[in-house]
Amino acid sequence: MTALPPPDRDEPDVGAFEQGTPGSRWALGRYLVGRAIGEYISRALLVFALLVVALTALVWWAGPTWLAILIGIFALTVLLLRWALGAVLRQATGAGYFGPMEDRMRRLVADTRGDVRAELRRIGLPSRTWTLPLLAWRLARRTRRAETLARLRQFEVERVVPGARLDELHLIVAQLRPPGMA
């Protein structure tokens, strides 16, 4: 009976592998980036609308009523814009396809906002709180969309989501099969 040599401690027990398919990694990346953009823009528009509502109340109290009504209509317009932008981003990120599992997806990616922004910086896209609207603008313009999408394909979900959660995310994506996945 021959003894086996001791295992080499520098070698991993299993080989390295990529989790999920290229399609599921693209779907997760698109979802995470869209979620980050949407949350920052939505929050900024909400704060702006609340400031305009406060201005409306101040003008109502101290100024002409017609001006307060005009400013109030502007505040409602900002809130309507916030709602419309949220709807567009949900459509663009494919969030609707995660519908049945949306709450679980939100919980799984709740701690990734800062990491998403760091990954966007790594691939050369706007990622600061005040520059995230530029990323949305680049995706909306036809002249920059192809370049921006090419950079977004370099987005590595593994750098953003902890490994313990990544498996579950890929299982959810595989279960729901968003369009565009092979």
Side-chain angles (χ1 to χ4, degrees):
M1 186 170 187
T2 62
L4 293 173
D8 186 5
R9 297 290 178 211
D10 294 333
E11 295 289 323
D13 289 339
V14 295
F17 66 95
E18 288 187 344
Q19 292 176 309
T21 64
S24 69
R25 285 192 299 278
W26 168 244
L28 282 175
R30 189 174 82 165
Y31 179 81
L32 291 171
V33 170
R35 170 81 63 199
I37 292 171
E39 285 184 10
Y40 283 109
I41 292 175
S42 178
R43 192 175 305 132
L45 285 174
L46 181 61
V47 168
F48 181 67
L50 290 175
L51 289 173
V52 173
V53 166
L55 178 66
T56 302
L58 181 65
V59 169
W60 184 274
W61 179 70
T65 305
W66 66 269
L67 185 59
I69 292 171
L70 190 64
I71 295 172
I73 291 172
F74 178 69
L76 288 175
T77 304
V78 170
L79 289 173
L80 183 64
L81 176 67
R82 177 180 182 251
W83 173 80
L85 184 64
V88 167
L89 282 173
R90 278 189 299 280
Q91 179 66 31
T93 61
Y97 301 112
F98 295 109
M101 302 294 278
E102 180 69 20
D103 290 335
R104 184 67 186 140
M105 289 290 287
R106 283 183 183 190
R107 279 184 266 135
L108 286 170
V109 298
D111 300 328
T112 63
R113 282 182 211 92
D115 296 333
V116 167
R117 290 179 30 223
E119 182 65 7
L120 288 172
R121 276 192 299 278
R122 185 189 70 80
I123 60 177
L125 292 173
S127 63
R128 304 281 182 215
T129 302
W130 57 88
T131 61
L132 275 173
L134 294 175
L135 179 56
W137 180 252
R138 287 175 71 169
L139 287 169
R141 290 179 47 209
R142 291 178 192 232
T143 56
R144 302 290 304 265
R145 186 180 304 142
E147 174 195 343
T148 304
L149 287 174
R151 287 186 183 217
L152 280 174
R153 284 187 180 88
Q154 298 170 7
F155 188 90
E156 294 180 18
V157 177
E158 295 82 10
R159 292 177 179 255
V160 176
V161 180
R165 293 185 183 156
L166 195 57
D167 253 353
E168 189 171 355
L169 287 171
H170 282 293
L171 287 173
I172 290 171
V173 170
Q175 178 184 1
L176 297 175
R177 297 297 246 191
M181 283 183 49

